[in-house]
mmCIF file of all heavy atoms in Angstrom:
data_model
loop_
_atom_site.group_PDB
_atom_site.id
_atom_site.type_symbol
_atom_site.label_atom_id
_atom_site.label_comp_id
_atom_site.label_asym_id
_atom_site.label_seq_id
_atom_site.Cartn_x
_atom_site.Cartn_y
_atom_site.Cartn_z
ATOM 1 N N LYS T 30 10.297 -8.331 7.513
ATOM 2 C CA LYS T 30 11.612 -8.968 7.431
ATOM 3 C C LYS T 30 12.097 -9.023 5.984
ATOM 4 O O LYS T 30 13.277 -8.769 5.697
ATOM 5 C CB LYS T 30 11.532 -10.379 8.023
ATOM 6 C CG LYS T 30 12.867 -11.113 8.044
ATOM 7 C CD LYS T 30 12.712 -12.488 8.683
ATOM 8 C CE LYS T 30 14.049 -13.230 8.689
ATOM 9 N NZ LYS T 30 13.909 -14.587 9.299
ATOM 10 N N GLU T 31 11.180 -9.338 5.070
ATOM 11 C CA GLU T 31 11.540 -9.400 3.652
ATOM 12 C C GLU T 31 11.927 -8.030 3.121
ATOM 13 O O GLU T 31 12.871 -7.908 2.337
ATOM 14 C CB GLU T 31 10.372 -9.969 2.848
ATOM 15 C CG GLU T 31 10.117 -11.459 3.101
ATOM 16 C CD GLU T 31 8.915 -11.969 2.339
ATOM 17 O OE1 GLU T 31 8.272 -11.153 1.635
ATOM 18 O OE2 GLU T 31 8.619 -13.170 2.438
ATOM 19 N N ARG T 32 11.201 -6.978 3.556
ATOM 20 C CA ARG T 32 11.545 -5.623 3.116
ATOM 21 C C ARG T 32 12.918 -5.221 3.608
ATOM 22 O O ARG T 32 13.711 -4.632 2.868
ATOM 23 C CB ARG T 32 10.488 -4.622 3.603
ATOM 24 C CG ARG T 32 9.166 -4.695 2.853
ATOM 25 C CD ARG T 32 8.332 -3.450 3.126
ATOM 26 N NE ARG T 32 7.942 -3.345 4.523
ATOM 27 C CZ ARG T 32 6.822 -3.855 5.016
ATOM 28 N NH1 ARG T 32 5.992 -4.515 4.238
ATOM 29 N NH2 ARG T 32 6.524 -3.689 6.287
ATOM 30 N N ARG T 33 13.214 -5.541 4.869
ATOM 31 C CA ARG T 33 14.542 -5.220 5.414
ATOM 32 C C ARG T 33 15.634 -5.967 4.655
ATOM 33 O O ARG T 33 16.709 -5.423 4.386
ATOM 34 C CB ARG T 33 14.599 -5.546 6.906
ATOM 35 C CG ARG T 33 13.772 -4.625 7.788
ATOM 36 C CD ARG T 33 14.170 -4.769 9.256
ATOM 37 N NE ARG T 33 13.976 -6.127 9.750
ATOM 38 C CZ ARG T 33 12.863 -6.577 10.297
ATOM 39 N NH1 ARG T 33 11.806 -5.771 10.414
ATOM 40 N NH2 ARG T 33 12.766 -7.821 10.737
ATOM 41 N N SER T 34 15.349 -7.218 4.307
ATOM 42 C CA SER T 34 16.320 -8.018 3.570
ATOM 43 C C SER T 34 16.569 -7.425 2.188
ATOM 44 O O SER T 34 17.723 -7.336 1.727
ATOM 45 C CB SER T 34 15.812 -9.459 3.439
ATOM 46 O OG SER T 34 16.700 -10.236 2.660
ATOM 47 N N GLN T 35 15.503 -6.982 1.508
ATOM 48 C CA GLN T 35 15.638 -6.371 0.192
ATOM 49 C C GLN T 35 16.451 -5.088 0.269
ATOM 50 O O GLN T 35 17.323 -4.829 -0.568
ATOM 51 C CB GLN T 35 14.260 -6.087 -0.400
ATOM 52 C CG GLN T 35 13.516 -7.320 -0.860
ATOM 53 C CD GLN T 35 12.145 -6.981 -1.407
ATOM 54 O OE1 GLN T 35 11.551 -5.968 -1.062
ATOM 55 N NE2 GLN T 35 11.625 -7.832 -2.270
ATOM 56 N N LEU T 36 16.156 -4.273 1.281
ATOM 57 C CA LEU T 36 16.875 -3.013 1.436
ATOM 58 C C LEU T 36 18.350 -3.258 1.731
ATOM 59 O O LEU T 36 19.218 -2.549 1.213
ATOM 60 C CB LEU T 36 16.245 -2.187 2.565
ATOM 61 C CG LEU T 36 14.889 -1.559 2.246
ATOM 62 C CD1 LEU T 36 14.277 -0.940 3.504
ATOM 63 C CD2 LEU T 36 15.033 -0.512 1.166
ATOM 64 N N TRP T 37 18.635 -4.239 2.543
ATOM 65 C CA TRP T 37 20.029 -4.553 2.881
ATOM 66 C C TRP T 37 20.787 -5.036 1.646
ATOM 67 O O TRP T 37 21.929 -4.642 1.406
ATOM 68 C CB TRP T 37 20.086 -5.593 3.994
ATOM 69 C CG TRP T 37 21.481 -5.988 4.376
ATOM 70 C CD1 TRP T 37 22.095 -7.179 4.177
ATOM 71 C CD2 TRP T 37 22.460 -5.158 5.028
ATOM 72 N NE1 TRP T 37 23.384 -7.155 4.652
ATOM 73 C CE2 TRP T 37 23.634 -5.927 5.187
ATOM 74 C CE3 TRP T 37 22.445 -3.839 5.483
ATOM 75 C CZ2 TRP T 37 24.782 -5.428 5.778
ATOM 76 C CZ3 TRP T 37 23.604 -3.339 6.084
ATOM 77 C CH2 TRP T 37 24.753 -4.124 6.225
ATOM 78 N N GLN T 38 20.140 -5.896 0.848
ATOM 79 C CA GLN T 38 20.768 -6.364 -0.387
ATOM 80 C C GLN T 38 21.020 -5.200 -1.345
ATOM 81 O O GLN T 38 22.083 -5.113 -1.972
ATOM 82 C CB GLN T 38 19.877 -7.405 -1.053
ATOM 83 C CG GLN T 38 19.797 -8.733 -0.314
ATOM 84 C CD GLN T 38 18.815 -9.694 -0.962
ATOM 85 O OE1 GLN T 38 18.408 -9.506 -2.108
ATOM 86 N NE2 GLN T 38 18.424 -10.718 -0.221
ATOM 87 N N ALA T 39 20.023 -4.308 -1.452
ATOM 88 C CA ALA T 39 20.186 -3.136 -2.331
ATOM 89 C C ALA T 39 21.323 -2.252 -1.846
ATOM 90 O O ALA T 39 22.103 -1.736 -2.654
ATOM 91 C CB ALA T 39 18.885 -2.342 -2.387
ATOM 92 N N PHE T 40 21.417 -2.080 -0.528
ATOM 93 C CA PHE T 40 22.481 -1.248 0.038
ATOM 94 C C PHE T 40 23.850 -1.856 -0.255
ATOM 95 O O PHE T 40 24.783 -1.138 -0.649
ATOM 96 C CB PHE T 40 22.283 -1.106 1.550
ATOM 97 C CG PHE T 40 23.418 -0.405 2.237
ATOM 98 C CD1 PHE T 40 23.564 0.976 2.137
ATOM 99 C CD2 PHE T 40 24.349 -1.121 2.981
ATOM 100 C CE1 PHE T 40 24.616 1.624 2.762
ATOM 101 C CE2 PHE T 40 25.397 -0.469 3.614
ATOM 102 C CZ PHE T 40 25.528 0.901 3.501
ATOM 103 N N GLN T 41 23.980 -3.161 -0.074
ATOM 104 C CA GLN T 41 25.267 -3.825 -0.306
ATOM 105 C C GLN T 41 25.672 -3.722 -1.777
ATOM 106 O O GLN T 41 26.843 -3.467 -2.098
ATOM 107 C CB GLN T 41 25.174 -5.302 0.111
ATOM 108 C CG GLN T 41 25.047 -5.523 1.606
ATOM 109 C CD GLN T 41 26.258 -5.048 2.378
ATOM 110 O OE1 GLN T 41 27.372 -4.994 1.863
ATOM 111 N NE2 GLN T 41 26.062 -4.680 3.628
ATOM 112 N N MET T 42 24.708 -3.911 -2.686
ATOM 113 C CA MET T 42 24.999 -3.810 -4.107
ATOM 114 C C MET T 42 25.410 -2.389 -4.495
ATOM 115 O O MET T 42 26.385 -2.177 -5.212
ATOM 116 C CB MET T 42 23.773 -4.231 -4.922
ATOM 117 C CG MET T 42 23.441 -5.711 -4.838
ATOM 118 S SD MET T 42 21.850 -6.100 -5.623
ATOM 119 C CE MET T 42 22.180 -5.605 -7.304
ATOM 120 N N GLN T 43 24.645 -1.419 -3.976
ATOM 121 C CA GLN T 43 24.933 -0.029 -4.319
ATOM 122 C C GLN T 43 26.254 0.428 -3.716
ATOM 123 O O GLN T 43 27.008 1.174 -4.354
ATOM 124 C CB GLN T 43 23.789 0.866 -3.833
ATOM 125 C CG GLN T 43 23.883 2.311 -4.266
ATOM 126 C CD GLN T 43 23.722 2.480 -5.759
ATOM 127 O OE1 GLN T 43 23.177 1.616 -6.433
ATOM 128 N NE2 GLN T 43 24.203 3.591 -6.293
ATOM 129 N N ARG T 44 26.556 -0.016 -2.506
ATOM 130 C CA ARG T 44 27.795 0.388 -1.826
ATOM 131 C C ARG T 44 29.021 -0.077 -2.606
ATOM 132 O O ARG T 44 30.032 0.636 -2.681
ATOM 133 C CB ARG T 44 27.811 -0.202 -0.415
ATOM 134 C CG ARG T 44 29.047 0.147 0.395
ATOM 135 C CD ARG T 44 28.960 -0.442 1.791
ATOM 136 N NE ARG T 44 28.886 -1.886 1.760
ATOM 137 C CZ ARG T 44 29.948 -2.698 1.666
ATOM 138 N NH1 ARG T 44 31.168 -2.182 1.559
ATOM 139 N NH2 ARG T 44 29.800 -4.007 1.666
ATOM 140 N N LYS T 45 28.932 -1.273 -3.201
ATOM 141 C CA LYS T 45 30.072 -1.805 -3.957
ATOM 142 C C LYS T 45 30.291 -1.039 -5.255
ATOM 143 O O LYS T 45 31.418 -0.902 -5.728
ATOM 144 C CB LYS T 45 29.843 -3.290 -4.253
ATOM 145 C CG LYS T 45 29.879 -4.165 -3.009
ATOM 146 C CD LYS T 45 29.541 -5.615 -3.340
ATOM 147 C CE LYS T 45 29.547 -6.483 -2.086
ATOM 148 N NZ LYS T 45 29.170 -7.891 -2.387
ATOM 149 N N GLU T 46 29.189 -0.555 -5.844
ATOM 150 C CA GLU T 46 29.282 0.131 -7.131
ATOM 151 C C GLU T 46 29.434 1.640 -6.995
ATOM 152 O O GLU T 46 29.956 2.298 -7.895
ATOM 153 C CB GLU T 46 28.018 -0.160 -7.958
ATOM 154 C CG GLU T 46 27.826 -1.626 -8.278
ATOM 155 C CD GLU T 46 26.523 -1.888 -9.008
ATOM 156 O OE1 GLU T 46 25.786 -0.910 -9.266
ATOM 157 O OE2 GLU T 46 26.250 -3.049 -9.338
ATOM 158 N N ASP T 47 28.973 2.190 -5.900
ATOM 159 C CA ASP T 47 28.915 3.642 -5.714
ATOM 160 C C ASP T 47 29.805 4.032 -4.536
ATOM 161 O O ASP T 47 29.404 3.931 -3.369
ATOM 162 C CB ASP T 47 27.457 4.052 -5.460
ATOM 163 C CG ASP T 47 27.274 5.559 -5.375
ATOM 164 O OD1 ASP T 47 28.288 6.290 -5.426
ATOM 165 O OD2 ASP T 47 26.124 6.006 -5.248
ATOM 166 N N LYS T 48 30.993 4.483 -4.832
ATOM 167 C CA LYS T 48 31.968 4.798 -3.775
ATOM 168 C C LYS T 48 31.576 6.048 -2.972
ATOM 169 O O LYS T 48 32.077 6.261 -1.871
ATOM 170 C CB LYS T 48 33.353 5.007 -4.392
ATOM 171 C CG LYS T 48 33.871 3.794 -5.154
ATOM 172 C CD LYS T 48 33.905 2.550 -4.289
ATOM 173 C CE LYS T 48 34.439 1.347 -5.053
ATOM 174 N NZ LYS T 48 34.408 0.111 -4.243
ATOM 175 N N LEU T 49 30.692 6.868 -3.513
ATOM 176 C CA LEU T 49 30.285 8.076 -2.799
ATOM 177 C C LEU T 49 29.108 7.843 -1.855
ATOM 178 O O LEU T 49 28.773 8.726 -1.063
ATOM 179 C CB LEU T 49 29.901 9.172 -3.806
ATOM 180 C CG LEU T 49 31.043 9.830 -4.580
ATOM 181 C CD1 LEU T 49 30.478 10.818 -5.587
ATOM 182 C CD2 LEU T 49 32.013 10.531 -3.629
ATOM 183 N N LEU T 50 28.486 6.682 -1.938
ATOM 184 C CA LEU T 50 27.271 6.443 -1.157
ATOM 185 C C LEU T 50 27.503 6.598 0.347
ATOM 186 O O LEU T 50 26.811 7.376 1.013
ATOM 187 C CB LEU T 50 26.720 5.049 -1.458
ATOM 188 C CG LEU T 50 25.443 4.688 -0.689
ATOM 189 C CD1 LEU T 50 24.303 5.614 -1.078
ATOM 190 C CD2 LEU T 50 25.061 3.228 -0.938
ATOM 191 N N LEU T 51 28.466 5.864 0.889
ATOM 192 C CA LEU T 51 28.716 5.927 2.335
ATOM 193 C C LEU T 51 29.151 7.313 2.788
ATOM 194 O O LEU T 51 28.623 7.823 3.796
ATOM 195 C CB LEU T 51 29.743 4.872 2.740
ATOM 196 C CG LEU T 51 29.206 3.452 2.951
ATOM 197 C CD1 LEU T 51 30.341 2.505 3.297
ATOM 198 C CD2 LEU T 51 28.144 3.419 4.028
ATOM 199 N N PRO T 52 30.118 7.956 2.110
ATOM 200 C CA PRO T 52 30.488 9.311 2.531
ATOM 201 C C PRO T 52 29.304 10.283 2.540
ATOM 202 O O PRO T 52 29.171 11.101 3.453
ATOM 203 C CB PRO T 52 31.540 9.735 1.496
ATOM 204 C CG PRO T 52 32.141 8.459 1.037
ATOM 205 C CD PRO T 52 31.024 7.475 1.036
ATOM 206 N N LEU T 53 28.437 10.190 1.544
ATOM 207 C CA LEU T 53 27.289 11.087 1.485
ATOM 208 C C LEU T 53 26.298 10.802 2.608
ATOM 209 O O LEU T 53 25.765 11.728 3.240
ATOM 210 C CB LEU T 53 26.590 10.958 0.128
ATOM 211 C CG LEU T 53 27.319 11.570 -1.074
ATOM 212 C CD1 LEU T 53 26.612 11.214 -2.367
ATOM 213 C CD2 LEU T 53 27.418 13.086 -0.918
ATOM 214 N N MET T 54 26.044 9.525 2.870
ATOM 215 C CA MET T 54 25.094 9.163 3.924
ATOM 216 C C MET T 54 25.622 9.538 5.304
ATOM 217 O O MET T 54 24.911 10.150 6.116
ATOM 218 C CB MET T 54 24.783 7.665 3.855
ATOM 219 C CG MET T 54 24.013 7.244 2.604
ATOM 220 S SD MET T 54 23.651 5.462 2.535
ATOM 221 C CE MET T 54 22.464 5.307 3.887
ATOM 222 N N ILE T 55 26.876 9.187 5.558
ATOM 223 C CA ILE T 55 27.470 9.512 6.856
ATOM 224 C C ILE T 55 27.601 11.020 7.022
ATOM 225 O O ILE T 55 27.321 11.573 8.095
ATOM 226 C CB ILE T 55 28.853 8.826 6.997
ATOM 227 C CG1 ILE T 55 28.685 7.310 7.030
ATOM 228 C CG2 ILE T 55 29.561 9.301 8.271
ATOM 229 C CD1 ILE T 55 29.998 6.547 6.982
ATOM 230 N N GLY T 56 28.006 11.694 5.945
ATOM 231 C CA GLY T 56 28.152 13.147 6.008
ATOM 232 C C GLY T 56 26.838 13.848 6.301
ATOM 233 O O GLY T 56 26.800 14.840 7.040
ATOM 234 N N SER T 57 25.730 13.340 5.731
ATOM 235 C CA SER T 57 24.432 13.971 5.990
ATOM 236 C C SER T 57 24.026 13.808 7.452
ATOM 237 O O SER T 57 23.504 14.746 8.065
ATOM 238 C CB SER T 57 23.368 13.363 5.074
ATOM 239 O OG SER T 57 23.157 11.991 5.371
ATOM 240 N N ILE T 58 24.268 12.633 8.020
ATOM 241 C CA ILE T 58 23.903 12.407 9.426
ATOM 242 C C ILE T 58 24.739 13.289 10.352
ATOM 243 O O ILE T 58 24.206 13.996 11.219
ATOM 244 C CB ILE T 58 24.087 10.925 9.789
ATOM 245 C CG1 ILE T 58 23.134 10.055 8.968
ATOM 246 C CG2 ILE T 58 23.830 10.708 11.284
ATOM 247 C CD1 ILE T 58 23.364 8.563 9.126
ATOM 248 N N VAL T 59 26.056 13.249 10.148
ATOM 249 C CA VAL T 59 26.957 14.023 11.014
ATOM 250 C C VAL T 59 26.733 15.519 10.826
ATOM 251 O O VAL T 59 26.647 16.284 11.799
ATOM 252 C CB VAL T 59 28.428 13.657 10.718
ATOM 253 C CG1 VAL T 59 29.368 14.568 11.512
ATOM 254 C CG2 VAL T 59 28.690 12.196 11.065
ATOM 255 N N GLY T 60 26.632 15.951 9.573
ATOM 256 C CA GLY T 60 26.477 17.381 9.290
ATOM 257 C C GLY T 60 25.204 17.962 9.885
ATOM 258 O O GLY T 60 25.229 19.024 10.520
ATOM 259 N N ILE T 61 24.080 17.274 9.698
ATOM 260 C CA ILE T 61 22.810 17.787 10.215
ATOM 261 C C ILE T 61 22.792 17.736 11.739
ATOM 262 O O ILE T 61 22.254 18.637 12.401
ATOM 263 C CB ILE T 61 21.638 16.988 9.617
ATOM 264 C CG1 ILE T 61 21.556 17.250 8.124
ATOM 265 C CG2 ILE T 61 20.315 17.362 10.286
ATOM 266 C CD1 ILE T 61 20.495 16.439 7.398
ATOM 267 N N ALA T 62 23.408 16.705 12.314
ATOM 268 C CA ALA T 62 23.478 16.616 13.775
ATOM 269 C C ALA T 62 24.286 17.783 14.351
ATOM 270 O O ALA T 62 23.902 18.376 15.368
ATOM 271 C CB ALA T 62 24.089 15.281 14.189
ATOM 272 N N ILE T 63 25.391 18.129 13.703
ATOM 273 C CA ILE T 63 26.220 19.245 14.170
ATOM 274 C C ILE T 63 25.462 20.564 14.066
ATOM 275 O O ILE T 63 25.498 21.393 14.989
ATOM 276 C CB ILE T 63 27.534 19.312 13.359
ATOM 277 C CG1 ILE T 63 28.426 18.112 13.704
ATOM 278 C CG2 ILE T 63 28.272 20.620 13.629
ATOM 279 C CD1 ILE T 63 29.678 18.021 12.853
ATOM 280 N N VAL T 64 24.766 20.755 12.942
ATOM 281 C CA VAL T 64 23.987 21.989 12.770
ATOM 282 C C VAL T 64 22.922 22.099 13.854
ATOM 283 O O VAL T 64 22.724 23.167 14.451
ATOM 284 C CB VAL T 64 23.335 22.025 11.369
ATOM 285 C CG1 VAL T 64 22.336 23.168 11.278
ATOM 286 C CG2 VAL T 64 24.410 22.182 10.297
ATOM 287 N N ALA T 65 22.234 20.986 14.129
ATOM 288 C CA ALA T 65 21.202 20.996 15.160
ATOM 289 C C ALA T 65 21.796 21.311 16.528
ATOM 290 O O ALA T 65 21.211 22.064 17.327
ATOM 291 C CB ALA T 65 20.480 19.647 15.192
ATOM 292 N N PHE T 66 22.975 20.752 16.793
ATOM 293 C CA PHE T 66 23.631 20.996 18.085
ATOM 294 C C PHE T 66 24.027 22.459 18.231
ATOM 295 O O PHE T 66 23.835 23.079 19.291
ATOM 296 C CB PHE T 66 24.860 20.095 18.205
ATOM 297 C CG PHE T 66 25.543 20.173 19.539
ATOM 298 C CD1 PHE T 66 25.070 19.464 20.627
ATOM 299 C CD2 PHE T 66 26.669 20.976 19.716
ATOM 300 C CE1 PHE T 66 25.695 19.533 21.860
ATOM 301 C CE2 PHE T 66 27.302 21.056 20.942
ATOM 302 C CZ PHE T 66 26.816 20.333 22.019
ATOM 303 N N LEU T 67 24.581 23.036 17.161
ATOM 304 C CA LEU T 67 25.007 24.438 17.210
ATOM 305 C C LEU T 67 23.814 25.375 17.364
ATOM 306 O O LEU T 67 23.887 26.373 18.099
ATOM 307 C CB LEU T 67 25.792 24.786 15.943
ATOM 308 C CG LEU T 67 27.146 24.068 15.788
ATOM 309 C CD1 LEU T 67 27.788 24.430 14.451
ATOM 310 C CD2 LEU T 67 28.079 24.436 16.946
ATOM 311 N N VAL T 68 22.714 25.066 16.675
ATOM 312 C CA VAL T 68 21.503 25.880 16.838
ATOM 313 C C VAL T 68 21.000 25.770 18.263
ATOM 314 O O VAL T 68 20.565 26.752 18.880
ATOM 315 C CB VAL T 68 20.421 25.434 15.836
ATOM 316 C CG1 VAL T 68 19.089 26.121 16.145
ATOM 317 C CG2 VAL T 68 20.854 25.739 14.411
ATOM 318 N N GLY T 69 21.077 24.551 18.816
ATOM 319 C CA GLY T 69 20.648 24.346 20.195
ATOM 320 C C GLY T 69 21.488 25.123 21.181
ATOM 321 O O GLY T 69 20.980 25.588 22.224
#
Side-chain angles (χ1 to χ4, degrees):
K30 183 178 179 181
E31 290 177 359
R32 286 195 296 270
R33 290 195 300 270
S34 177
Q35 287 179 335
L36 287 172
W37 179 249
Q38 290 176 16
F40 173 76
Q41 291 296 334
M42 291 172 62
Q43 187 67 21
R44 180 178 62 84
K45 292 176 181 178
E46 298 176 1
D47 185 355
K48 301 304 181 183
L49 288 176
L50 180 63
L51 278 178
L53 287 173
M54 293 180 68
I55 294 172
S57 65
I58 296 173
V59 174
I61 294 176
I63 291 174
V64 170
F66 185 81
L67 293 176
V68 171

